[in-house]
Amino acid sequence: MTSFAQSPATAVVDRDCGDFPSQAAAQNFFLANGGPQSDPHGLDSEGDGIACESNPCPCIGRGTNTQNPVTTPPPPKVYRETGNVTQIVDGDTLKVRLRTGGVVSVRMLGINTPERGRCGSDEATDNLSKLAPVRSTVQLVSDPSQAAKDRYGRLLRYVKREGGYNDLSYRQAWNGYTKRYVFGGKPVNRDRDYVRAIDNARSNARGLWASCW
């Protein structure tokens, strides 16, 4: 006579949120086992139809499955422009006439040269003038970890001179005309390279490290 009693080998195992690697995995299990109408495993503690909300993503919402995941925000946009230098304002700021039209002020990312009137200001400005002379062509690239503009409306960009140096912020640092600059506690993506260049300039007393700092 055949017994239909459930054997220990086939007994349903109670599950909790820690059994799933992500919220999406927990949600799929939850829906496949009666959710949101039924929650035999207690995965939906808030009763809102979403299981294990504290689990890491990927995440999906109420009544959805992995075929229709909740969309995540797109990555920050990277801006790229090309133009010609019209003026060197100081050691970390220049004006550029974009090929798309109009002159913009550009604040170079990750560095901070002396303000006008301070020791080394003229030298830092002169060095940038050599790196990116007026009428030279430059390429501008934003950093997705930083704002696209500052509060003064200046573009915040890495600057590369066509036919010259790939990164003028790095070159100002290497030549000894700048210190590190971090705004809002978040360093630029190239910060480590700049710090190494600044440390090298300081150790070898290049630029303003020999006279002002």
Side-chain angles (χ1 to χ4, degrees):
M1 182 175 181
T2 302
S3 172
F4 292 97
Q6 192 174 44
S7 68
T10 59
V12 176
V13 178
D14 186 43
R15 306 294 291 273
D16 59 35
C17 291
D19 294 324
F20 304 96
S22 67
Q23 188 276 329
Q27 183 74 5
N28 286 329
F29 179 87
F30 171 65
L31 295 174
N33 287 271
Q37 292 79 17
S38 174
D39 185 18
H41 297 272
L43 302 179
D44 180 13
S45 59
E46 296 181 1
D48 58 1
I50 303 176
C52 301
E53 294 180 65
S54 63
N55 277 24
C57 284
C59 301
I60 58 178
R62 176 187 175 99
T64 60
N65 54 42
T66 53
Q67 300 303 313
N68 298 288
V70 173
T71 57
T72 56
K77 182 176 180 179
V78 175
Y79 296 91
R80 302 177 186 274
E81 303 94 358
T82 301
N84 297 97
V85 177
T86 63
Q87 180 186 352
I88 299 299
V89 178
D90 56 32
D92 53 37
T93 308
L94 60 159
K95 292 190 176 182
V96 176
R97 183 179 298 279
L98 300 179
R99 288 184 177 172
T100 54
V103 176
V104 296
S105 292
V106 180
R107 175 63 164 82
M108 294 161 58
L109 285 165
I111 64 171
N112 192 31
T113 61
E115 300 295 329
R116 289 181 180 179
R118 299 287 183 87
C119 181
S121 173
D122 291 342
E123 290 87 342
T125 303
D126 289 344
N127 194 64
L128 184 57
S129 297
K130 295 174 184 176
L131 297 174
V134 170
R135 291 187 293 277
S136 63
T137 300
V138 291
Q139 297 174 358
L140 314 175
V141 182
S142 67
D143 185 329
S145 75
Q146 308 291 310
K149 293 183 179 181
D150 67 9
R151 60 180 176 173
Y152 304 109
R154 300 178 297 186
L155 302 185
L156 299 176
R157 299 289 189 270
Y158 298 115
V159 181
K160 172 186 176 181
R161 178 186 171 188
E162 287 191 358
Y165 292 109
N166 287 336
D167 187 342
L168 301 191
S169 290
Y170 180 87
R171 187 49 49 179
Q172 283 286 73
W174 180 265
N175 290 348
Y177 293 101
T178 184
K179 291 184 178 180
R180 181 184 186 226
Y181 184 68
V182 176
F183 181 76
K186 191 170 187 179
V188 298
N189 285 339
R190 302 182 187 181
D191 182 66
R192 290 185 180 181
D193 291 336
Y194 295 167
V195 169
R196 283 194 289 266
I198 290 168
D199 287 346
N200 189 286
R202 182 193 296 115
S203 298
N204 291 280
R206 287 195 298 271
L208 304 185
W209 295 104
S211 55
C212 295
W213 297 324

